Structure formats: C-alpha cells, structure tokens
Amino acid sequence: MKLLEERILKDGHVLGENILKVDSFLTHQVDANLMREIGKAFATYFKSTGITKVVTIEASGIAPAIYTAEALGVPMIFAKKSKNITMTEGILTAEVYSFTKQVTSTISIAGKFLNRQDKVLIIDDFLANGQAAKGLIEIIEQSGASVEAIGIVIEKSFQEGRKLLEEDKRKVVSLARIQKFENRKIVFMEADA
Ligand code: 5GP
C-alpha cells in the first residue's frame, strides 16, 4: 500500500536492530484518515471471502482492526491482555510472548463473541515472530470458528512470523513488507495488497 509505505518512510524510526517506531501514526498517536484507508484496503482484498468477524489484540491492533471491521460491515473483537473481573464465564485464553515487552502474558476473549459459524479475519499492527497471531489463532479455534487469514499492517519480513504462519498453512496479507533495515534505512519488498 503506497500511502502506508510513504508514511513509514516519512515518520518511522528504526530503533536498534529490528524495531520500527511508528508512534506518530499507528501505535500511540493514531492517524484516523490513514487507518480508514488501511481498513478499506483490507476490506477490498477480503470482500468476497465471507468474513463475519475481525479479531485483534489490544492495544495497537485496535485502530486498524476497527476500520477494517467498519469497511467489511462486521463486528470487531479485541483480545485483552489483562484479566478483568467483569469477564466471569466462558473465557478463551492463550499464552503470548510479547516481542516488544519481552514478557509472556495470557490473552483472553469472551467465548460468547465467537461461534463455529464465524469466519475470522485477524488484523494486527505488526508481524515480527508471529507469536501474537499464533495466540489469536489458538483462541479463535477454541471457539470452533475458523481463521480465514491474517491481515498485517507492517510485516518485518526478515523475522520469523510469516514463515511460521505459512508453515501452518495460514494466509498472510501484509500492506507493507520490510525486507531489511540497512544503516537505519527501511528497505521494502513487494507487499500483498
Ligand atoms: P510478534 O508476536 O509477531 O513477534 O510481534 C507482534 C507484536 O509485537 C505486535 O502486536 C506489535 O505490537 C509488536 N511489535 C513487533 N515488532 C514491532 C516493531 O518493530 N515496532 C512496534 N512498535 N511494535 C512491534
């Protein structure tokens, strides 16, 4: 997605070996216009696949996921990272190792929001080693729903995530794919949409 790549080049900052900071438009401050275009791009790609729910993980997945859900005309559900006393029954959980926080946490979704008729599109802000996506797939499949595909805003293709998911026969659709960081410069490869 050209608009997204241009924005990453303009406002993204490479930190260390493998982290991209995009807090001015995606992970902290959010550019709603860009998110709307991202939502439309995913919706165009998936419009004929019969998606019934969009699922993401808090917090940074929520912005692209809500616009994707709006464009597809379906609900969005986000997995929670901390236990909530109002979530009392039928909780589906999975363990996820966080790439940026370097801790394992239990993520959860109330089972009542997913059923075996659902065809789910997972949306997340980044794909690094694929642990967040793996945890979401685990939770969604516990409910009997099926995972249609994983839509990623920014994929760091030099990390293991895509390979891990494709080995598991999952479809990954990324709007920006970063091949490498070269002297803190971002080098893209061809994106999926
Ligand atoms: P994974 O589970 O694929 O290893 O990592 C994906 C999660 O880690 C995303 O949900 C995102 O929040 C975070 N993440 C991974 N890489 C980056 C990065 O380079 N920059 C930022 N801001 N977040 C990242």
Side-chain angles (χ1 to χ4, degrees):
M1 182 183 174
K2 196 159 177 293
L3 188 68
L4 173 63
E5 288 178 0
E6 285 169 358
R7 188 60 178 272
I8 294 169
L9 290 177
K10 181 168 161 278
D11 291 331
H13 298 284
V14 178
L15 299 184
E17 295 278 289
N18 56 12
I19 299 276
L20 179 67
K21 190 168 174 173
V22 286
D23 62 348
S24 64
F25 63 92
L26 178 58
T27 61
H28 195 7
Q29 175 171 263
V30 175
D31 181 336
N33 289 325
L34 179 64
M35 293 306 123
R36 178 158 280 126
E37 294 308 315
I38 285 171
K40 282 189 210 158
F42 281 129
T44 301
Y45 193 97
F46 290 107
K47 64 175 183 278
S48 57
T49 57
I51 300 293
T52 62
K53 305 259 165 77
V54 170
V55 172
T56 190
I57 180 167
E58 66 177 354
S60 308
I62 293 176
I66 189 72
Y67 284 98
T68 304
E70 180 192 47
L72 286 169
V74 300
M76 184 278 280
I77 303 156
F78 60 94
K80 301 200 178 204
K81 283 182 178 159
S82 57
K83 280 224 173 71
N84 182 325
I85 52 163
T86 66
M87 288 174 79
T88 48
E89 61 203 304
I91 307 301
L92 309 171
T93 61
E95 299 292 304
V96 170
Y97 178 77
S98 163
F99 178 75
T100 44
K101 301 200 179 78
Q102 304 193 337
V103 291
T104 299
S105 58
T106 305
I107 61 165
S108 51
I109 287 180
K112 65 182 174 185
F113 295 125
L114 290 169
N115 61 62
R116 48 186 71 250
Q117 279 78 46
D118 278 324
K119 280 179 90 175
V120 175
L121 172 61
I122 292 175
I123 295 286
D124 206 5
D125 58 340
F126 274 92
L127 179 61
N129 292 320
Q131 296 306 302
K134 213 174 123 220
L136 287 173
I137 291 169
E138 201 183 312
I139 286 196
I140 292 159
E141 291 186 342
Q142 279 172 39
S143 75
S146 62
V147 175
E148 181 68 22
I150 299 118
I152 297 292
V153 179
I154 304 174
E155 173 188 317
K156 291 181 294 175
S157 306
F158 54 85
Q159 292 183 275
E160 292 298 302
R162 190 180 188 107
K163 187 166 161 272
L164 183 96
L165 294 169
E166 287 185 343
E167 278 171 3
D168 194 31
K169 305 273 183 285
R170 307 295 175 171
K171 184 171 175 62
V172 179
V173 175
S174 301
L175 299 185
R177 296 188 71 190
I178 297 173
Q179 185 178 27
K180 58 181 173 180
F181 295 140
E182 206 168 50
N183 302 324
R184 300 200 176 246
K185 292 266 175 295
I186 299 157
V187 180
F188 290 107
M189 57 194 287
E190 197 182 338
D192 301 304

